[in-house]
Amino acid sequence: MIQDNYGRGVSYLRLSITDRCNLRCFYCRPGKGSQFIPHKNILTYEDMLYLLHAASGMDVQKVRLTGGEPFVRRDILYFLHRLKSELPEMEIRLTSNATLIAGKIRALRDIGIKGLNISLDTLDRDKYQRITGQDKLDNVMASIDRCLEEGIRVKINAVALKGINDDELGDFIRLAMQKPLDVRFIEFMPIGEKSLWKEDYYWSSSDLLLQAAEIAEMVPVGSLSRNHGPARMFRPGRGLGRVGVISPLSEHFCGTCNRLRITANGRLRTCLFSDKEYNLLPLIRSRKIGPDRLRLVMERAGRRKPMGHKLWSREKQENSLCRRVMSSIGG
Ligand code: SAM
């Protein structure tokens, strides 16, 4: 198993399968032009399978496919199918904006995808268009309902943005009361070279929970419920679903971080907040070298996994912690 110098074990990979996205969320991919990774450097599905086989030999038990938007990648269902059949023990998760999944939900269920994390920052159609640049809210809401009908667990992730979606807290709580899904608010992080992060947007989890308690009784969900990751979850009133917060800034969870990230061009990042990257692409592509060498590099890199919150206090520049934007790291 990959073990770092702080005694943390790594059992979870977040793999960005593309840096391209069909949405243009103002805080995620700011700036005018987009510089994408050239196609020849993007991991192929064969590359990814090779990497994941190697990782599973190091006790990595869970992979989250992210992006960019994973569903802009052609033949993703084919890849999921192969991944599931070649590594049946590996838990597969996906993070998506759910704008492109409408015709794929039954197939996802059939492949064995048990849950989807769906990014959704607003329940207001006009605002959705202003945030993302696209008029797709109805489409997303319909896909959420279809996922629930097919028995796919839904976790909605909303970036908590003061002045943007704090007026919708009640609507999100009501959504979680009416439908059996989780809504999780994640604190806005200062990521990416031209990050728009500023104090004015920062809506802390503690403020959010105080406001939530004025809207509904927020009953903490005990430790018996598994799979929360770094989220603190609550059941609002007698609701069907749950509401929670993820607080990377106000209550960092570096001490229990068990993840490594791989970008779409095969760069290993041991911490979201650190720009230190290890280029795995040549090791993945030169199959003659064999997976042991790849595992060795991952193991050595993993050992040096930093405590992200220390970088936060030490290296904080203006308004961004690392240069790569979230859509290119794989959020
Ligand atoms: N396209 C997919 C999606 O929308 O879920 C996956 C990639 S997207 C980069 C992953 C998540 O990162 C989204 O929920 C997005 O809102 C979040 N995100 C992007 N920039 C962020 C930031 N600065 N702070 C917190 N979350 C951020």
Side-chain angles (χ1 to χ4, degrees), residues 2 11 21 87 98 105 174 225 231 233 279:
I2 302 174
S11 55
C21 187
L87 291 166
I105 294 168
R174 277 183 286 281
S225 314
M233 299 304 297
N279 187 4

Side-chain angles (χ1 to χ4, degrees), residues 37-54:
I37 299 167
H39 273 294
K40 66 177 183 2
N41 294 338
I42 296 274
L43 294 175
T44 64
Y45 287 147
E46 294 302 327
D47 291 336
M48 290 182 212
L49 288 166
Y50 183 78
L51 169 73
L52 291 172
H53 273 283

Side-chain angles (χ1 to χ4, degrees), residues 21 27-28 66-70 95-97 117 119 121 157 159 186-191 326-327 330-331:
C21 187
Y27 59 83
C28 181
T66 177
E69 169 51 39
T95 297
S96 168
N97 60 38
N117 283 11
S119 306
D121 301 325
N157 287 336
V159 179
I186 178 161
E187 287 175 347
F188 184 31
M189 295 179 281
I191 305 274
M326 198 71 154
S327 64

Side-chain angles (χ1 to χ4, degrees), residues 247-259:
S247 323
L249 298 191
S250 63
E251 271 181 85
H252 69 82
F253 32 86
C254 302
T256 55
C257 182
N258 62 348
R259 57 188 69 173

